[in-house]
Amino acid sequence: MKHLILLICLLISIGLCGQTRKGNWYLSGNTAVAGQHVTGTQTSVYSPTAELYGRSNLSATSFRSGYFLSNRLLVGTRLDYLRTIARDYYVTNESNRLSLKPFVRYYILDGSSRRSLAVFGELGFGTISFGAGDRYETDFHLGLGAELPLAPGILGTANLNYDANAWGINFTNLTLGLNVLTGQLQDSPATAPLRRGTFTTSGRLGSVAYGRNKSGDDVAAELQVRLSPQLGYFILDGLLLEAAVTFDYRTYRSDSRYRFHYAAAFDSYALDAGLTARYYVLQRGRLLPYAEVGLSYLQQRNHTGMRAVLVDGPKLRALPWRAGAGLSYILSPQLALDLSGVYQRGTTKRLRDSWTNNQPQRRLQGTVGLRFFLPAAGR
């Protein structure tokens, strides 16, 4: 994990004083490294007594990051890494997978002036996977996008891509978020951007993807929606209140006119809404420690079946509390690198389930990610 953290810091820090794209790094706003360990107890139809379970994972994500060979030409990759260890009922399972999706981007409209719109096209070919199921897949994607500078080094970006996958369904997806151009970041001033009236947010706002494949009389279609708005506001100097919502929805249908056992249906959603209060112990300088507390509401549900006949799965609900501490490394008045550690505790309730009741759960999580600031007008 420490090597991934050092890589993120290196990508951000290289070329901080540059004024053009050439020779600078482009960093996806959702770039993050996270590790967590979850423990709890559960009962099942196989065991009348509570059994201890544990799950650990380490993940690294970056939607589109790369390096500018010229002011218009960017080469990069999408990165997804996940390592999991799960123990249920005395059985331990481990998996480890790294996936890379290289791409080339060309800016049709340069957008070189301070507030002008930039338009680009993308072409990617291949998915390279290591770990579980090592292989090279002949995926490709075509994309268009637009970027608008919001502050020095901070870009609001919309991507529309068509992803043709060697396996599974082909998707058309729209992604909205914030990204970073490291060469345009300004040096941090003596006073960090923690003043009353300042807004803060995350780098990934949401995405919608729809895919449909047809082969003869067999049809498969899937819709995926992921919304992750996060907005904070400094009500006092150094005191941040932040609301965050993550909503995941997926619906899948496959059908065959002649083979009933090939028909399948699946719907699921997951909601995580929370409120956090964070206080920065120091409010000047580049490395600022903080403490935070928060409360969340979690709900999950899925339905599975065949064609129009769906069976309700258990509905999960929880109201966990959490407490944590961390450091914000100020990179510019608009950007910080957050290193956080959080302890979360709560009880998950399963409804409409005759053999599982309440499940106490504890979670310890560490995260390294980007935080964006919007100073109040006139500050």
Side-chain angles (χ1 to χ4, degrees):
M1 181 174 179
K2 66 180 181 180
H3 299 297
L4 292 171
I5 296 173
L6 288 174
L7 177 60
I8 292 176
C9 294
L10 178 64
L11 292 179
I12 293 175
S13 61
I14 290 177
L16 286 178
C17 298
Q19 297 299 318
T20 64
R21 293 196 190 102
K22 182 179 178 181
N24 291 303
W25 292 93
Y26 179 93
L27 196 62
S28 176
N30 78 319
T31 301
V33 178
Q36 67 174 5
H37 179 66
V38 180
T39 58
T41 57
Q42 61 187 358
T43 58
S44 76
V45 68
Y46 305 108
S47 174
T49 60
E51 301 287 351
L52 179 68
Y53 69 85
R55 300 184 181 94
S56 300
N57 68 59
L58 174 65
S59 63
T61 304
S62 187
F63 176 66
R64 293 277 194 272
S65 293
Y67 183 77
F68 277 97
L69 298 179
S70 71
N71 283 342
R72 292 179 180 267
L73 184 62
L74 170 75
V75 293
T77 187
R78 174 173 178 169
L79 181 148
D80 292 289
Y81 172 77
L82 180 62
R83 174 177 173 78
T84 61
I85 302 174
R87 179 181 182 273
D88 289 283
Y89 308 117
Y90 306 104
V91 177
T92 300
N93 297 301
E94 297 186 31
S95 65
N96 188 52
R97 183 179 176 86
L98 171 64
S99 177
L100 301 173
K101 295 178 179 286
F103 71 95
V104 176
R105 175 185 295 181
Y106 184 77
Y107 282 78
I108 305 165
L109 294 181
D110 190 323
S112 55
S113 62
R114 180 166 184 159
R115 291 290 180 182
S116 61
L117 186 71
V119 178
F120 58 82
E122 286 183 354
L123 173 64
F125 186 83
T127 298
I128 307 168
S129 299
F130 304 94
D134 288 356
R135 63 174 180 249
Y136 173 78
E137 298 174 4
T138 56
D139 303 336
F140 76 88
H141 85 260
L142 297 171
L144 288 173
E147 286 181 341
L148 183 67
L150 303 178
I154 309 300
L155 307 169
T157 309
N159 283 73
L160 180 64
N161 293 294
Y162 176 73
D163 295 322
N165 299 308
W167 299 92
I169 297 177
N170 301 331
F171 282 94
T172 299
N173 60 79
L174 174 66
T175 302
L176 303 176
L178 301 176
N179 297 304
V180 177
L181 185 59
T182 62
Q184 293 183 1
L185 295 176
Q186 296 178 342
D187 291 338
S188 174
T191 302
L194 309 179
R195 301 283 298 278
R196 180 176 62 87
T198 300
F199 288 92
T200 178
T201 187
S202 63
R204 187 76 175 270
L205 304 180
S207 63
V208 178
Y210 176 75
R212 186 176 186 274
N213 282 5
K214 188 175 187 302
S215 177
D217 294 312
D218 298 337
V219 179
E222 183 172 343
L223 174 66
Q224 300 175 359
V225 178
R226 179 176 177 82
L227 305 176
S228 52
Q230 178 177 329
L231 184 64
Y233 181 77
F234 282 88
I235 59 174
L236 298 171
D237 289 358
L239 180 58
L240 171 68
L241 287 183
E242 185 171 60
V245 176
T246 300
F247 177 73
D248 285 293
Y249 173 76
R250 178 189 172 197
T251 178
Y252 171 83
R253 297 290 185 275
S254 68
D255 202 358
S256 173
R257 181 178 299 179
Y258 303 109
R259 296 176 291 179
F260 181 78
H261 63 284
Y262 274 84
F266 177 82
D267 293 335
S268 71
Y269 74 84
L271 173 67
D272 183 348
L275 184 65
T276 301
R278 173 185 290 191
Y279 180 71
Y280 283 86
V281 181
L282 300 178
Q283 297 170 30
R284 295 181 65 88
R286 190 176 288 272
L287 192 61
L288 306 176
Y290 63 82
E292 64 181 28
V293 294
L295 186 67
S296 296
Y297 172 76
L298 310 176
Q299 181 170 305
Q300 299 179 15
R301 189 67 179 270
N302 66 70
H303 310 272
T304 59
M306 300 178 67
R307 289 184 175 165
V309 182
L310 294 179
V311 179
D312 288 347
K315 179 185 288 187
L316 306 182
R317 287 181 180 172
L319 194 68
W321 61 268
R322 64 184 180 276
L327 294 169
S328 288
Y329 181 71
I330 306 300
L331 298 164
S332 82
Q334 289 79 36
L335 184 67
L337 186 67
D338 266 9
L339 298 87
S340 67
V342 175
Y343 174 78
Q344 180 174 291
R345 186 164 186 169
T347 298
T348 301
K349 296 182 178 181
R350 290 201 176 197
L351 309 179
R352 291 190 179 182
D353 191 325
S354 60
W355 53 267
T356 303
N357 296 314
N358 296 344
Q359 297 181 356
Q361 189 177 91
R362 296 178 296 275
R363 183 190 308 264
L364 184 62
Q365 180 169 340
T367 306
V368 181
L370 297 173
R371 175 171 291 273
F372 296 82
F373 295 93
L374 268 175
R379 298 281 182 179

